Amino acid sequence: MAARRLIESGHQVGCTGIIFQPLAEATGARFVPMVNSLDCSDPQNVPEAWIKQRNSLRGLSQLKFDLRHFFIDAAIGQVKDYSKPILGVSSRCASS
């Protein structure tokens, strides 16, 4: 597994969603959940209004909804979560 090789080489391993916690820990990484972005890896975290709106869409409209809500709008919080361990500000993300 690539993450395990990175850890063995002294690298930090970045944040991941809660459903991937067992996999992250199996590599030897310490898992700490995301705090600045919505963790959509667990469907229970997705707002009910989003689910209803998304289910009312089809095709390209649904894809655009997904890109906007799950990727583009989430990017700022994800960058905050990912940047802290890199900058040494916090250990909120999985690291070796």
Side-chain angles (χ1 to χ4, degrees):
M1 179 175 250
R4 186 183 315 268
R5 284 183 291 228
L6 287 170
I7 291 168
E8 289 170 355
S9 298
H11 295 278
Q12 290 185 341
V13 177
C15 296
T16 190
I18 191 75
I19 67 166
F20 301 108
Q21 180 177 356
L23 294 173
E25 290 174 339
T27 68
R30 182 176 56 85
F31 177 83
V32 179
M34 294 182 284
V35 295
N36 293 297
S37 58
L38 179 64
D39 180 359
C40 294
S41 72
D42 182 351
Q44 294 179 353
N45 292 337
V46 179
E48 186 66 32
W50 286 14
I51 294 170
K52 288 179 181 178
Q53 185 177 359
R54 183 184 186 278
N55 289 342
S56 72
L57 303 170
R58 296 287 177 258
L60 187 57
S61 295
Q62 193 177 65
L63 175 63
K64 288 169 41 177
F65 178 90
D66 290 350
L67 290 172
R68 167 111 192 194
H69 289 82
F70 298 112
F71 295 97
I72 297 168
D73 290 350
I76 293 172
Q78 290 172 352
V79 167
K80 287 178 184 177
D81 283 334
Y82 300 157
S83 297
K84 288 182 180 183
I86 293 168
L87 299 173
V89 175
S90 172
S91 60
R92 292 179 181 228
C93 298
S95 63
S96 60

